Amino acid sequence: CPAGGRSGRIHFGREGGRETPLNRYDFPARSPPPGKTDAEMTEKNRPVRTRFAPSPTGEFHVGGLRTALFTWLTARHAGGRFVLRIEDTDRTRFDPGALGALTSGLRWLGLDWDEGPEVGGPHGPYLQSERLPLYQEQIRTLLDSGSAYRCFCTAERLAELRRLQEQRQQAPGYDRHCRGLRPEAAVERAAAGEAWVARLKVPLQGTTVFHDLVRGEISYENAGLQDLVLMKSDGFPTYHFANVVDDHFMEISHVTRASEWIPSTPSHILIYQAFGWEPPVFAHLPVILDPSGKGKMSKRKKGGGGPEMPVYVREFREAGYLPEAVLNYLALLGWSDGTDQTEFTREELIAKFDLTRVNPTGAAFDYQKLDWLNGVWIRKMEPAAFARLLGEWLGREGIEAGEATLAAVGPLVQERVRGMKDALPLVDFFFREPAPYGGADLVPPQLDAASTLRVLERLSGRLAEVERPTAADAEGAIRGIAADLGAKVQPIAHVARVALGGRPVGPPLFETIEVLGPDVTLRRLGEARRRLEAVP
């Protein structure tokens, strides 16, 4: 393995009757070859066309969004085309509602597609269920050439085969029972109405090799591969077959997908070879691990009895993360530009992204880093844009907020929050009555009830002397009261915060008094006095 590089070859063979990785592939990231980018790694340097091809069977997972992002960045970096294709041939798991969530999630992150559902394109249709005639035509080509064969094994026979293999401690897999059938006899049985599937006739000897932009050269012994099913008995293609056919006819140059598809890739290569087609360039991304780094991030996790953390795109949106922050964070989840830079704009990512700089090692999802980045991007927002966003979030809570008040409130919290959900409890009292509190909540540890009552009375009196108190007026009043009572400012501020906002924490106090205005401020201070006087 060259210094700073990856293994030149990853080989998979047979060991003890089972397909076993002889060399693992968790190697350190390498730099791209000098003067060469991933866009130039195709054999014929064909135009870069990438695709994101999800199966809408449920919620849109953040792992799928990361794959879409890397695929989109590859196309945009090379000035190529990004294709969205929907793989919906598994009709038992297809969820029509998931398609809308998927396209909405992509648009939320700004991942626009050049071809696909809703936008069309020259290689449509872009839903696999609408491309059945093409698959059926292509399967006939493989059957006629002898590269595939009809298999008539029933579900009962296959179940019995699996049972015997388990009993004998053999590797599971199809025994090629129908591979030796004469093609003429197979055609006759199919014409008579006997159910069949089409299987790939995998070479029994030799090695299938492919280059992976992330992991280097990977090879599999053909003897360890299965004669996988290409077309099911219902006439629908399997993922493996439709995937290859669509990538060819859509002229896909780069296939970027999760590492779990590595074992399927040699079979895909063999399908390309059976047709005489040039395969695309492959890049298998590292798995996203849960925050502990010990397992795949596939299910929602709870830590120490705390709240569930988001794992689906919808949940990240609902949790108040900005798309700029999510895009920035996901780009860093397995990729680096070779520097210490952590804050990337969309334009910077497009300019710098290269698949050869993806690290094959799994990356743990760090919510704290995402929270930090979210705060960074909130602070980068223009104040007017943040005020509008704050108004949208308040609206979700049924709070009506005027533009002038939002413009005044926004700057008080924009520098203090990491997410929009953090902002709501800090500002809601500007727009509605504060959360209920008891008279005892007004009393800080440094004062007693009588002293607290004097603070409220003096603060009301001093603020009433000014027609419309400014932040400077409020600061002068509070510091003056602290001096009069021989106390520090902090306990005086505590009394005022609870009286005005219902809780001891909030945005800057002096500015809060200015934004609330004299009427609301004096009314709430009076209500606080009444609550404190009612304390036994």
Side-chain angles (χ1 to χ4, degrees), residues 107 261 272 307 314 415 444:
R107 286 200 168 99
W261 293 109
Y272 279 104
R314 171 186 56 80
E415 298 292 323

Side-chain angles (χ1 to χ4, degrees), residues 153-170:
C153 292
T154 63
E156 290 76 17
R157 181 187 182 277
L158 295 176
E160 177 63 15
L161 174 63
R162 285 193 296 271
R163 187 188 69 80
L164 291 175
Q165 289 171 335
E166 292 175 359
Q167 184 179 5
R168 298 166 183 169
Q169 296 185 338
Q170 296 175 333

Side-chain angles (χ1 to χ4, degrees), residues 185-263:
V187 170
E188 291 177 1
R189 290 175 65 174
E194 192 170 348
W196 58 277
V197 300
R199 289 184 180 271
L200 177 67
K201 189 177 287 186
V202 172
L204 301 181
Q205 297 178 337
T207 303
T208 298
V209 182
F210 64 95
H211 180 83
D212 188 291
L213 285 177
V214 176
R215 302 162 194 279
E217 187 174 280
I218 301 176
S219 66
Y220 278 79
E221 293 182 8
N222 292 337
L225 303 179
Q226 295 287 323
D227 285 6
L228 79 165
V229 175
L230 303 178
M231 185 74 75
K232 295 174 285 187
S233 59
D234 60 3
F236 276 77
T238 60
Y239 163 84
H240 306 283
F241 186 61
N243 175 279
V244 169
V245 170
D246 286 341
D247 283 346
H248 171 73
F249 283 97
M250 292 182 181
E251 303 177 6
I252 300 302
S253 65
H254 291 66
V255 169
T256 305
R257 59 190 179 190
S259 59
E260 64 192 54
W261 293 109
I262 291 176

Side-chain angles (χ1 to χ4, degrees), residues 74-86:
T74 300
R76 294 291 176 258
H77 174 77
R81 306 275 287 179
F82 175 60
V83 179
L84 176 62
R85 184 176 75 226
I86 305 302

